Amino acid sequence: ELEHDVGYEECNRLVSGLLQEALIFQAREALERMPGNERKTSPLQNNMAILLMDMGQLQEARPLLEERLRLRRETLGGHHPGTLISIDNMATLLMDMGELQEAKPLLEEGLRVCTETLGDRHPTKLTLINSMAGLLKLMGELQEARPLCEEVLRGRRETLGDRHRSTLESINNMGLLLKLMGELREARPLLEE
């Protein structure tokens, strides 16, 4: 009956929203019951924060990601790929919140550590480079973002192949950046790919 009043798409959106809210409620309860030592290593906190971000509840996601990053630094150290992913998640949230100047030093730190400890084609490094390119794009620094987008695209093509979801995302990012730069001839084949 509901789908007749609002349509299938709206019905699916409403049901999805209700399910997300129920998941958040259950995750909060589980986190409150979780002993401190388990909380340090549980992915629940991070997953809950990512879901909140997807729901547009950025202010609610922030303390979760801040705590997750702090716990990762304490338990894994600053050079662990898990800590670097937490840095990227925190920087992404800050970018989504428009706090670009706060996100930049986090990404710079993550990239510096990746350069010291991980290979050039490590997935975590490519993720951080991709985020830095996105930040520079948001800051209007398109020329600075371009070589980073090119590096991520090259790295993902080499390591993941042309049809992997992350590679396709990089192709799209590169095409959109070129379009913003007015390089339409270069952008078109990427956006059509």
Side-chain angles (χ1 to χ4, degrees):
E1 189 69 39
L2 178 63
E3 67 272 6
H4 296 295
D5 292 334
V6 297
Y8 286 109
E9 286 184 32
E10 181 65 12
C11 181
N12 285 338
R13 191 189 65 72
L14 291 170
V15 169
S16 178
L18 291 171
L19 289 172
Q20 289 173 334
E21 290 294 335
L23 284 171
I24 292 297
F25 179 78
Q26 289 181 354
R28 280 194 179 108
E29 286 187 340
L31 278 174
E32 287 175 13
R33 291 190 310 268
M34 193 176 291
N37 60 336
E38 278 184 47
R39 190 175 176 132
K40 287 181 180 180
T41 57
S42 172
L44 180 60
Q45 187 175 29
N46 186 67
N47 294 343
M48 184 174 146
I50 299 300
L51 179 57
L52 285 166
M53 287 172 64
D54 290 345
M55 294 168 64
Q57 298 178 20
L58 306 180
Q59 292 295 338
E60 290 185 50
R62 186 173 185 158
L64 294 170
L65 288 180
E66 287 172 339
E67 182 179 4
R68 178 70 170 181
L69 178 55
R70 182 183 57 76
L71 291 173
R72 286 289 179 143
R73 288 182 199 261
E74 286 175 9
T75 57
L76 301 175
H79 289 73
H80 190 279
T83 304
L84 297 170
I85 290 296
S86 291
I87 287 172
D88 185 72
N89 288 342
M90 187 70 220
T92 300
L93 173 68
L94 292 169
M95 292 184 331
D96 289 349
M97 294 175 79
E99 298 180 23
L100 308 182
Q101 295 303 325
E102 198 174 338
K104 191 170 186 179
L106 277 174
L107 290 174
E108 289 170 340
E109 173 194 354
L111 287 170
R112 180 183 45 74
V113 171
C114 282
T115 300
E116 294 170 3
T117 59
L118 304 176
D120 285 341
R121 297 295 183 242
H122 192 282
T124 302
K125 183 171 184 180
L126 294 173
T127 297
L128 282 157
I129 295 170
N130 187 60
S131 294
M132 180 60 88
L135 174 66
L136 293 171
K137 187 171 121 181
L138 287 172
M139 296 173 84
E141 299 176 19
L142 305 183
Q143 292 297 333
E144 292 81 359
R146 183 175 181 163
L148 298 179
C149 282
E150 290 170 343
E151 181 178 351
V152 172
L153 178 54
R154 199 170 35 254
R156 286 182 172 167
R157 281 190 195 268
E158 289 173 12
T159 59
L160 303 172
D162 287 337
R163 295 288 133 218
H164 189 277
R165 187 173 75 91
S166 295
T167 306
L168 294 172
E169 173 190 297
S170 297
I171 292 168
N172 187 59
N173 290 346
M174 187 75 228
L176 292 174
L177 177 65
L178 290 168
K179 183 179 174 185
L180 278 174
M181 295 173 75
E183 310 267 351
L184 301 180
R185 281 200 159 141
E186 288 183 69
R188 185 175 183 163
L190 290 168
L191 293 173
E192 288 175 348
E193 191 175 340

